[in-house]
Amino acid sequence: MAAATGADFDGDGTLDLLLFGTCQSDVINPGDIYFAHGDGGGHYALTKVDESNTSVSGAPHLQDVNGDGKLDVVYTQEQYGPHGSDGSDINYAISTGSGFTLTRATSENAYAGDGTWITAAAPLNGAGSALEGFHTESAVGNPSTYGVKFFNDVKSSPTQTWIYGQSTASDTSGAVQGIASADFDGNGMQDFAAVEEDSNHAATLHTYLHH
């Protein structure tokens, strides 16, 4: 077991779980996802949702991504491999009431210590969008960066990037450590907040209000 989260996903009044497993092998880190249907007495019937050569990274969280009244699960996945390769993505497990449909919102990759890593994630304005906290590293000495990207679709570039800071050396990258999205000011539009930690480990909370 690597992570888990729970809610009444099927609407029968009992607690269900979405379980994330991982297998640490010598080359890659495969994992699987199970829907655990609760009977109300502490027992669960497991149904496999997905199995792949990647596993959950960080803690999944609950949110009604598509506004249908059912709680969904937002989570990040990461796959690492030989030669310093790494691939990370943000996924939505959209609840159907009897199971889940998996949707990838966006992804990043790196190789030999060069590229971009996803460090935090949150949904924004529906199942097709994602807020991605990231940091970059360079194998050729370019400055590392970190910030937040907004993706409408995994096949397109981000529509806007908020860069909170930039380090002066490639080995001292900052990172966005967490993101949360909600209508903070009650105007009917989604806002977001992000915790950014610079290369000196000084953390700042930034809040962006959508007007």
Side-chain angles (χ1 to χ4, degrees):
M1 288 296 300
T5 189
D8 180 11
F9 292 119
D10 54 11
D12 66 353
T14 62
L15 176 67
D16 308 306
L17 301 172
L18 195 62
L19 308 175
F20 297 84
T22 185
C23 178
Q24 301 297 329
S25 63
D26 293 334
V27 180
I28 58 175
N29 53 317
D32 47 34
I33 303 173
Y34 281 86
F35 172 49
H37 171 75
D39 66 359
H43 302 95
Y44 294 88
L46 302 184
T47 302
K48 183 187 289 186
V49 177
D50 187 51
E51 182 175 2
S52 62
N53 289 325
T54 187
S55 60
V56 68
S57 175
H61 65 269
L62 299 168
Q63 185 161 336
D64 182 5
V65 174
N66 55 356
D68 64 353
K70 303 184 186 73
L71 282 174
D72 311 303
V73 180
V74 182
Y75 63 100
T76 58
Q77 287 194 141
E78 184 174 23
Q79 180 190 68
Y80 56 79
H83 312 295
S85 61
D86 189 278
S88 51
D89 48 69
I90 303 170
N91 294 275
Y92 299 158
I94 305 297
S95 176
T96 64
S98 59
F100 290 89
T101 299
L102 302 185
T103 300
R104 177 183 292 177
T106 186
S107 61
E108 298 285 1
N109 61 79
Y111 185 78
D114 189 289
T116 304
W117 284 258
I118 296 175
T119 58
L124 188 70
N125 296 331
S129 64
L131 286 167
E132 172 196 312
F134 72 92
H135 81 272
T136 66
E137 295 183 13
S138 172
V140 293
N142 294 325
S144 297
T145 62
Y146 53 96
V148 175
K149 296 178 182 178
F150 171 42
F151 283 84
N152 277 320
D153 192 289
V154 68
K155 299 176 183 178
S156 65
S157 299
T159 57
Q160 187 173 357
T161 300
W162 293 266
I163 301 290
Y164 296 140
Q166 182 167 300
S167 59
T168 58
S170 61
D171 58 349
T172 56
S173 174
V176 175
Q177 300 291 4
I179 299 176
S181 64
D183 181 10
F184 296 138
D185 54 3
N187 66 350
M189 291 184 283
Q190 287 287 103
D191 313 303
F192 78 93
V195 176
E196 165 258 324
E197 184 179 277
D198 65 18
S199 57
N200 295 316
H201 303 293
T204 305
L205 174 66
H206 296 263
T207 301
Y208 282 84
L209 300 179
H210 189 184
H211 297 293

